[in-house]
Amino acid sequence: MGVHPRALDYAESLPDGVIPDESELTCGTRIEPGKSYGFFTDTTLCIGCKACEVACKEWNGLPADNLGLTGNSYDNTGDLGANTWRHVAFVEKIGSGDDRAREMKPFQSNWLMMSDVCKHCANAPCLEACPTGSIFRTEFDTVVVQQDICNGCGYCVPACPFGVVELSLEDGKAHKCTLCYDRLKGGLEPACAKSCPTDSIQFGEIEDLFGRARRRVEDLHGKGATDAYLYGAPDTPGATGGLKHLNAFFLLTDRPEVYNLPVAPTRASDRVRPSFLTGLAAMAGLTLAAAALMSAGRERGR
């Protein structure tokens, strides 16, 4: 993105206050209620610096998680959770046993890195499962948990097909990424996207991001990276099971499960009817079996 013309109006190093519609200067997007916003994460640009994790924790006042080593390379947070709303995954691809790589091509690190986050699904299963209305869709088409209403029932936790939502051990309530709802209301780009030094995390209107992502895939294919594809954009892997699409979607170069993403996520509500019918069939079968045993017992007693 080039320098926005409005940047000339704020050339001083220390502005007097918050710049109106600052996101227009930092990412070329003016934030307005009624429009849909999200993240496009291009994993081919991620360098694993974790600036997004740090920026997220700083802005949202989240405590550090697990200061020790997990044994999984440079990953010390392990996964998304109540206190970790951005998680950078490190996937080392060197094989194992006889297939273990002995040599590497120049300028190839054999690492896959991806900054994971809440997907802010178009048809959010967590929102459907919430019985109190604590989880709601904002005026920016993002999904947020209201902590003062959440009763800690935990229904949203298994409903999320991505394992994003977690109950806090501190207050017993559900927590997850808000896509910086407070910053959006102030016209500011989300902290993680603004801090990303390589533009691996891009924030903007969701339709603009879809177009940008498709052009990026075409560009990579033209350069020989034919394994690049989108996950979570309309009609792509990840946008399955009635989810429609993900407002936080990804460009990947390996199978989804390599990045700890489900191959074909589904909504929990779509599994209720088959489960209910299966339960009824099982009860009917047990009833018939019990009736047959009782009838056989009476015959033997005569």
Side-chain angles (χ1 to χ4, degrees), residues 114 116-117 119 161-162 231 250 252 255-265:
M114 183 190 80
D116 199 6
V117 71
K119 316 305 180 288
F162 302 100
Y231 179 93
F250 303 84
L252 308 177
R255 293 169 292 123
E257 56 268 39
V258 173
Y259 299 89
N260 199 30
L261 293 170
V263 176

Side-chain angles (χ1 to χ4, degrees), residues 95-112:
S96 60
D98 295 337
D99 294 332
R100 186 180 178 85
R102 299 291 188 270
E103 297 180 356
M104 295 185 183
K105 297 178 182 178
F107 311 111
Q108 300 297 314
S109 69
N110 286 43
W111 287 92
L112 295 177

Side-chain angles (χ1 to χ4, degrees), residues 22-63:
E22 188 202 73
S23 64
E24 197 173 41
L25 307 184
T26 59
C27 64
T29 298
R30 180 181 288 245
I31 301 169
E32 298 173 330
K35 294 184 177 180
S36 298
Y37 297 91
F39 292 126
F40 163 43
T41 301
D42 183 346
T43 64
T44 64
L45 297 177
C46 183
I47 57 174
C49 68
K50 295 192 178 189
C52 54
E53 281 191 19
V54 175
C56 176
K57 282 185 176 292
E58 285 195 345
W59 179 261
N60 294 293
L62 300 173

Side-chain angles (χ1 to χ4, degrees), residues 156-217:
C156 54
V157 176
C160 175
F162 302 100
V164 169
V165 191
E166 186 180 53
L167 297 183
S168 170
L169 296 177
E170 301 295 327
D171 61 11
K173 299 184 178 184
H175 293 264
K176 71 172 197 69
C177 161
T178 66
L179 217 145
C180 280
Y181 184 38
D182 50 351
R183 290 178 64 90
L184 297 190
K185 288 193 290 187
L188 301 171
E189 181 181 7
C192 57
K194 188 176 181 181
S195 68
C196 181
T198 63
D199 268 348
S200 171
I201 303 171
Q202 299 176 35
F203 167 79
E205 284 189 52
I206 196 68
E207 290 299 329
D208 291 343
L209 293 177
F210 287 148
R212 194 184 307 173
R214 293 186 187 104
R215 290 192 294 274
R216 173 64 175 166
V217 170

